[in-house]
Amino acid sequence: MAGYHRMGREVTMDFDINLMRDDRCTLVRVHGDIDVVSRTRFEEALFEVVDSGEPLVVDMREVTFCDSTGLNAIVAANRRAGERGTSVALVALPPRVQRVFRITGIDKFIPIYDTLREAIVALPTTTRP
């Protein structure tokens, strides 16, 4: 993706996560299952971005499964982002995953967008020195 540079990658059998940063946000692309096995690495990646003060956009188009541990990681990252004055947004949730977010009500307080472009346009503008 133009404008982004790769920061890191973690791969397990059913999980792959890539972090890419541009001048507006850090994009976390997730592939595979977000579950008890992958939760620690997933949460660490989200917290790393949130702790940097950058807005976080999580691209979930290739997530095949997200259990309660994955939901908890996203909620924890969102809470931490609020404490640090930054934001979290989710992009392109597959229908099966989106249903879980809707049933649990998480979609009421964490913005979910259909496209990366929509998420980036909606980010709060920040003026950096």
Side-chain angles (χ1 to χ4, degrees):
M1 170 168 258
Y4 284 92
H5 65 276
R6 176 171 265 166
M7 295 171 48
R9 182 174 185 183
E10 178 73 20
V11 180
T12 64
M13 186 178 291
D14 296 317
F15 182 73
D16 185 1
I17 187 167
N18 293 281
L19 279 67
M20 294 173 276
R21 178 172 286 142
D22 79 353
D23 61 342
R24 297 279 321 269
C25 68
T26 297
L27 175 67
V28 175
R29 283 204 164 137
V30 186
H31 175 82
D33 296 347
I34 305 172
D35 57 17
V36 69
V37 174
S38 59
R39 185 225 174 145
T40 300
R41 179 60 191 127
F42 180 60
E43 188 173 70
E44 286 172 355
L46 299 182
F47 282 10
E48 176 185 327
V49 175
V50 167
D51 288 346
S52 75
E54 298 260 338
L56 167 63
V57 176
V58 184
D59 183 339
M60 298 182 68
R61 79 185 70 240
E62 295 184 15
V63 171
T64 51
F65 176 77
C66 184
D67 70 6
S68 62
T69 60
L71 294 173
N72 289 336
I74 292 168
V75 169
N78 186 62
R79 183 179 315 114
R80 198 162 174 157
E83 293 167 357
R84 286 160 176 72
T86 190
S87 61
V88 172
L90 306 175
V91 173
L93 279 67
R96 178 177 170 185
V97 175
Q98 190 165 16
R99 182 172 181 263
V100 174
F101 279 77
R102 189 174 57 252
I103 289 169
T104 58
I106 293 171
D107 63 340
K108 303 278 190 266
F109 62 96
I110 300 177
I112 298 174
Y113 300 96
D114 291 334
T115 68
L116 179 57
R117 180 181 304 265
E118 290 172 7
I120 290 174
V121 167
L123 287 173
T125 55
T126 57
T127 307
R128 294 190 181 177

